């Protein structure tokens, strides 16, 4: 059974997608998508041998899923005709680096479904700079942690600083308010313990605090 986070990602995959899940761990998402009949061609890419071997074992009776040991998007071959890439459960900077490392390929893909664990702004920035526009975003809480899922398609968009940080589809959501109130509490705590000598760090955090307060009011 999938947890709430992976289930939300599964729900965003279009019926019949040819999908690659990069950093697929034990291939749970793809197994679910094939077993529920949503997808009939899938590539699981993993850079680490341990999870790769477990994925091979988990999918040995599922011909629809090909498991490859590879760094990032190098798990995908032209002949796969992949139209949907999922990259989930990693930091936003790493996700942007993975997209950047095979840019000529990434920019031809129809749907990107990205779930950064942090630094969502870095992901939106990469998308904006590389010919993608946001078509959907979700925010959810799963086992006490809050996650954002970003869905993009080919197209142009121009995001300002706030849109980069907060997204464009999320701000009415209860969990969105919770996320940024939690961040404000964290910031206030950090400011209360930060020594005077850390002036630059302090200014950075105060700038973030002002941005959040301005936005969520
Ligand atoms: N995608 C799954 C999920 O969302 O539940 C697994 C997330 S797990 C925390 C991150 C996985 O990404 C790990 O299995 C790790 O080995 C893999 N990974 C990290 N960097 C990678 C890269 N450059 N290429 C492929 N896989 C990578």
């Amino acid at each position: 059974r999938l947890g709430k986070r992976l289930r939300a990602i599964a729900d965003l995959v279009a019926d019949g997608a040819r999908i690659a899940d990069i950093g697929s761990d034990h291939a749970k998402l793809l197994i679910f998508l094939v077993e529920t009949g949503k997808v009939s061609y899938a590539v699981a890419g993993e850079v680490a041998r341990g999870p790769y071997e477990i994925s091979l074992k988990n999918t040995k009776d599922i011909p629809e899923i090909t498991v490859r040991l590879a760094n990032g998007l190098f798990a995908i071959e032209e002949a796969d005709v992949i139209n949907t890439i999922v990259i989930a459960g990693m930091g936003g900077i790493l996700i942007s680096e993975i997209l950047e490392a095979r840019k000529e390929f990434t920019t031809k893909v129809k749907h990107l479904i990205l779930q950064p664990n942090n630094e969502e702004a870095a992901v939106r920035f990469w998308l904006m700079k590389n010919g993608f526009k946001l078509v959907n975003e979700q925010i959810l809480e799963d086992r006490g942690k809050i996650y954002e899922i970003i869905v993009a398609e080919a197209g142009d968009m121009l995001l300002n600083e706030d849109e980069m940080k907060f997204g464009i589809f999320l701000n009415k959501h209860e969990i969105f308010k919770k996320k940024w109130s939690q961040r404000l509490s964290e910031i206030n705590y950090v400011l209360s313990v930060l020594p005077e000598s850390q002036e630059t760090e302090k200014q950075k955090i105060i700038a973030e605090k002002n941005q959040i307060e301005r936005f969520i009011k």
Side-chain angles (χ1 to χ4, degrees):
R1 257 176 34 94
L2 287 190
K4 197 166 159 187
R5 179 183 59 88
L6 285 179
R7 181 57 203 252
I9 294 173
D11 288 344
L12 291 165
V13 175
D15 283 343
R18 294 180 68 91
I19 186 169
D21 183 12
I22 303 302
S24 58
D25 199 13
H26 298 171
K28 271 166 74 177
L29 174 71
L30 296 182
I31 293 170
F32 176 86
L33 287 169
V34 170
E35 282 180 350
T36 53
K38 203 166 192 185
V39 153
S40 54
Y41 188 86
V43 173
E46 243 306 326
V47 78
R49 190 165 286 277
Y52 161 76
E53 279 169 1
I54 293 172
S55 297
L56 275 182
K57 201 165 137 252
N58 288 350
T59 59
K60 70 177 183 334
D61 299 322
I62 311 179
E64 292 88 346
I65 301 178
T66 303
V67 183
R68 298 195 184 117
L69 183 64
N71 187 0
L73 300 171
F74 294 95
I76 304 172
E77 296 169 6
E78 290 285 342
D80 296 323
V81 200
I82 293 301
N83 56 27
T84 305
I85 294 176
V86 172
I87 313 179
M90 302 174 209
I93 309 250
L94 178 57
I95 291 179
S96 314
E97 286 168 359
I98 289 175
L99 294 169
E100 180 71 21
R102 216 182 160 197
K103 196 151 119 158
E104 71 300 340
F105 176 82
T106 320
T107 47
K108 282 189 289 186
V109 168
K110 199 156 170 231
H111 300 278
L112 298 178
I113 304 176
L114 310 170
Q115 185 269 299
N117 286 343
N118 56 34
E119 304 278 359
E120 292 85 0
V123 172
R124 294 191 184 96
F125 182 75
W126 190 92
L127 293 169
M128 178 173 90
K129 290 287 171 198
N130 290 283
F132 284 95
K133 62 172 192 240
L134 304 177
V135 292
N136 195 351
E137 291 171 307
Q138 307 264 322
I139 188 161
L140 64 111
E141 189 167 6
D142 188 8
R143 285 174 286 171
K145 283 182 81 176
I146 296 176
Y147 299 99
E148 294 186 15
I149 308 171
I150 297 171
V151 188
E153 279 179 16
D156 290 324
M157 66 172 171
L158 191 57
L159 300 181
N160 62 34
E161 289 286 320
D162 284 347
E163 291 166 330
M164 212 92 77
K165 185 174 180 71
F166 302 109
I168 58 174
F169 293 105
L170 300 174
N171 64 344
K172 295 281 179 285
H173 209 291
E174 271 315 303
I175 306 286
F176 176 87
K177 293 181 190 135
K178 184 169 176 182
K179 169 174 174 152
W180 293 107
S181 319
Q182 282 177 356
R183 179 68 188 141
L184 274 183
S185 307
E186 252 173 54
I187 287 178
N188 286 331
Y189 172 74
V190 172
L191 288 175
S192 73
V193 296
L194 207 64
E196 286 295 322
S197 57
Q198 304 246 12
E199 192 50 36
T200 324
E201 185 58 19
K202 195 166 172 180
Q203 288 313 321
K204 230 176 89 187
I205 299 173
I206 289 174
E208 186 185 358
K209 177 178 162 140
N210 291 339
Q211 186 184 14
I212 298 170
E213 283 178 341
R214 211 183 341 100
F215 195 82
I216 65 172
K217 245 165 211 159

